[in-house]
Amino acid sequence: MSRKFWNRLAFERELWQKGLEYVAGVDEAGCGPLAGPVVAAAVLFPCSWLESGLPSKFRGLNDSKQLIEEEREKFYGLIVGHDEIRFAVAVVDAETIDRINILQAAHQAMNRALDQLQPPAQHALVDGRPVKSLRIPHTPLVKGDARSYSIAAASVLAKVTRDRLMKEFDAQYPNYGFAEHKGYSTAQHLAALRALGPCNIHRRSFGPMRPVELDLFVDEETPANGSVPFDAQAPIQIVPEQGNPRPPAAAP
């Protein structure tokens, strides 16, 4: 295996070498959207990869936002279909997000995913900053989904799961375009909000004039309902959907 691929297993390998057999990568998807749940996933790679390395079919696995939808779906299938990989996914709905705030909801989803893992993780690698409420020892890694294969795997499971849920919500609420924008504050979504108002899966504590892109791990004391309520007449700021890079600027 090339040095490049070994390096992205470096954090897992260090913990395996210390005798920690069950090391989970943990990540979330859906903290910024105006609608829908936040989803977290936890993934355990087999410690036998300490010697054998990452199987070649997983090369190219990356932060889900750096992959196109077809690539995410491919890696999702490879991860959930691998006999030696253990994984779990947890979903926290918009009503709970409004009640406890998005920061706490994301952390709740992470803990729920870890609680479901069998065998239980002994240590977690977490994308971002330390999570005080996490119930097992963990190593925070800023930009971890691009530095650790197990975190990248968790990011793919969380993103694909959430995208599929938003497509289901699109069938329930067909006039909002959830299948396309997944709840993010695109022009299409904001126009629908102006025309129709929020539906049952909109986060009422999020103001579409101020889309939330939190650093999830900076402030554990974020107020539960500190954001501006929906106002159809308010000025709008458009934030591109995660996973869809901005188009290149036109030449002068």
Side-chain angles (χ1 to χ4, degrees):
M1 174 180 284
S2 72
R3 182 178 182 83
K4 172 184 176 183
F5 295 114
W6 274 114
N7 284 345
R8 295 187 63 189
L9 271 178
F11 299 102
E12 291 89 342
R13 293 179 67 244
E14 180 180 354
L15 291 163
W16 289 334
Q17 287 170 337
K18 291 178 178 178
L20 296 173
E21 185 175 355
Y22 304 118
V23 177
V26 181
D27 202 4
E28 52 70 30
C31 283
L34 305 177
V38 62
V39 178
V43 176
L44 286 171
F45 285 164
C47 66
S48 60
W49 290 4
L50 175 62
E51 300 299 329
S52 63
L54 187 82
S56 59
K57 62 185 177 182
F58 288 103
R59 295 179 187 178
L61 178 61
N62 200 354
D63 168 13
S64 63
K65 295 185 291 297
Q66 303 303 315
L67 302 173
I68 63 173
E69 183 176 3
E70 291 77 10
E71 291 172 325
R72 291 193 295 267
E73 288 285 349
K74 179 191 80 170
F75 284 120
Y76 181 97
L78 290 173
I79 294 162
V80 302
H82 195 287
D83 290 342
E84 295 183 283
I85 294 176
R86 300 292 178 263
F87 64 90
V89 178
V91 178
V92 174
D93 63 20
E95 181 180 356
T96 303
I97 291 169
D98 285 338
R99 188 174 71 250
I100 66 175
N101 80 47
I102 185 59
L103 175 72
Q104 301 302 331
H107 292 176
Q108 184 180 107
M110 291 177 178
N111 272 311
R112 287 183 183 177
L114 285 166
D115 287 346
Q116 294 174 51
L117 277 179
Q118 291 297 329
Q122 297 165 294
H123 194 97
L125 300 173
V126 179
D127 184 39
R129 301 179 186 276
V131 182
K132 293 179 183 178
S133 63
L134 211 65
R135 292 192 281 268
I136 68 170
H138 66 284
T139 300
L141 297 174
V142 175
K143 300 187 184 300
D145 44 10
R147 299 169 63 194
S148 158
Y149 276 124
S150 61
I151 296 178
S155 78
V156 166
L157 295 194
K159 172 67 172 168
V160 170
T161 298
R162 187 179 188 281
D163 284 357
R164 291 178 179 181
L165 287 171
M166 295 308 294
K167 290 177 181 178
E168 293 177 11
F169 284 128
D170 184 68
Q172 296 180 47
Y173 307 101
N175 297 317
Y176 289 92
F178 290 134
E180 289 76 35
H181 55 65
K182 311 303 189 295
Y184 284 89
S185 54
T186 64
Q188 175 193 14
H189 189 188
L190 296 171
L193 273 172
R194 284 193 175 110
L196 304 169
C199 72
N200 289 341
I201 67 163
H202 278 99
R203 302 171 183 179
R204 305 307 175 98
S205 58
F206 281 37
M209 76 295 285
R210 196 173 68 184
V212 176
E213 291 290 348
L214 292 178
D215 182 342
L216 286 182
F217 309 103
V218 170
D219 180 11
E220 293 280 344
E221 304 300 327
T222 303
N225 289 294
S227 57
V228 179
F230 175 73
D231 179 355
Q233 303 304 316
I236 298 295
Q237 174 188 356
I238 297 175
V239 177
E241 178 185 348
Q242 292 185 16
N244 293 334
R246 293 178 183 273

